[in-house]
């Protein structure tokens, strides 16, 4: 293909135009000190302790599910968090909501996908307050080899055009493609402490990369 000298300026503008398109980078959702960018019950349920978000209680049974949510909506993304789940009795469970909305009745619940965490639910995909079931789960024996009980774990959620992948401590546990095209693939992100147990969860190093 011959390129004339006259066409070079236009070609240069096209090429530099592509080069100047801003690339989205991984950003932090939690500054380690404040709840900036988040909303929820930050009076009793959610606190900041030692640079981490802490939710729940080991002294009192958590009465129902509580969620700390982002104020911003996200669609295609890779979300990385570190979590530590502890508990003494009852149902010890937590999870990361995404592509979700807050429920109006009851107003403390959420509707959407949850990257679930807890005994029998480690690193599985649950549909909270919608289909109310686990959509896909890893082998229970294999996932127990991955999780560090009562210690910090790395969790990754990748949501991209209806395909959802979850990884725990560097190992993929879920690869799910949503067959129902009516299910929203965007929404807010929420950190959960499940009701029904004396449980406390910690989250830190929360980063998101929009795709």
């Amino acid at each position: 293909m011959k390129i004339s000298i006259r066409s070079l300026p236009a070609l240069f503008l096209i090429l530099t135009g592509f080069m100047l398109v801003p690339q989205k980078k991984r950003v932090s959702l939690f500054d380690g000190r404040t709840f900036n960018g988040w909303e929820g019950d930050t009076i009793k349920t959610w606190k900041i302790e030692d640079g981490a978000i802490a939710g729940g209680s080991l002294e009192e049974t958590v009465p129902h599910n509580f969620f700390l949510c982002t104020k911003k909506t996200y669609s295609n993304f890779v979300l990385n968090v570190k979590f530590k789940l502890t508990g003494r009795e009852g149902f010890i469970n937590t999870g990361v909501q995404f592509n979700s909305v807050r429920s109006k009745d009851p107003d403390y619940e959420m509707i959407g996908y949850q990257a679930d965490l807890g005994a029998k639910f480690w690193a599985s995909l649950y549909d909270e307050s919608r289909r109310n079931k686990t959509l896909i789960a890893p082998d229970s024996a294999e996932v127990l080899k991955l999780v560090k009980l009562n210690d910090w774990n790395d969790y990754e959620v990748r949501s991209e055009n209806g395909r959802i992948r979850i990884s725990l401590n560097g190992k993929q546990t879920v690869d799910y493609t949503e067959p129902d095209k009516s299910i929203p693939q965007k929404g807010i992100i929420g950190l959960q402490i499940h009701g029904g147990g004396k449980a406390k969860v910690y989250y830190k190093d929360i980063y998101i990369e929009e795709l």
Side-chain angles (χ1 to χ4, degrees):
M1 179 179 70
K2 294 181 67 177
I3 300 176
S4 69
I5 294 177
R6 291 181 180 179
S7 65
L8 286 176
L11 180 62
F12 176 76
L13 288 173
I14 292 171
L15 291 174
T16 54
F18 279 119
M19 293 172 63
L20 293 175
V21 173
Q23 299 297 312
K24 292 184 178 180
K25 298 180 180 179
R26 193 172 83 146
V27 298
S28 174
L29 295 183
F30 173 55
D31 62 17
R33 305 181 308 277
T34 71
F35 286 114
N36 288 343
W38 297 84
E39 60 84 17
D41 176 18
T42 57
I43 303 300
K44 182 177 181 181
T45 304
W46 299 99
K47 306 288 178 63
I48 296 176
E49 300 178 6
D50 299 322
I53 293 172
S57 172
L58 296 177
E59 285 70 47
E60 301 177 9
T61 299
V62 180
H64 55 70
N65 293 350
F66 285 96
F67 294 89
L68 182 73
C69 297
T70 60
K71 295 179 180 178
K72 186 178 175 181
T73 295
Y74 300 91
S75 54
N76 296 331
F77 60 84
V78 179
L79 177 71
N80 294 95
V81 302
K82 289 184 183 293
F83 76 88
K84 178 169 65 173
L85 178 61
T86 61
R88 293 181 178 174
E89 62 182 67
F91 190 56
I92 313 302
N93 183 274
T94 184
V96 178
Q97 288 287 141
F98 60 99
N99 297 347
S100 298
V101 296
R102 278 205 180 269
S103 170
K104 293 182 180 179
D105 185 18
D107 60 3
Y108 54 77
E109 258 297 353
M110 291 192 75
I111 302 169
Y113 298 113
Q114 183 181 131
D116 214 339
L117 293 166
K120 300 181 180 180
F121 295 96
W122 291 115
S124 60
L125 180 64
Y126 188 79
D127 199 17
E128 183 85 6
S129 300
R130 187 166 49 199
R131 286 169 286 195
N132 294 307
K133 67 177 184 178
T134 298
L135 300 175
I136 186 172
D139 179 88
S140 57
E142 290 301 314
V143 79
L144 281 176
K145 297 176 184 178
L146 298 176
V147 66
K148 301 172 186 177
L149 299 175
N150 300 307
D151 202 352
W152 289 103
N153 295 264
D154 293 311
Y155 209 26
E156 179 177 287
V157 179
R158 185 183 186 99
S159 176
E160 192 172 11
N161 299 319
R163 184 182 180 189
I164 296 165
R165 282 166 281 184
I166 298 173
S167 297
L168 175 63
N169 292 326
K171 180 72 172 181
Q172 184 172 289
T173 61
V174 160
D175 190 344
Y176 174 83
T177 299
E178 179 56 65
D180 188 343
K181 302 304 180 183
S182 69
I183 298 294
Q185 296 301 314
K186 65 178 180 179
I188 56 176
I189 291 167
L191 308 178
Q192 183 203 53
I193 183 64
H194 204 289
K198 292 182 178 179
K200 194 164 186 178
V201 67
Y202 302 85
Y203 285 97
K204 67 178 182 179
D205 298 344
I206 307 171
Y207 293 93
I208 194 165
E209 177 185 357
E210 295 185 76
L211 303 175

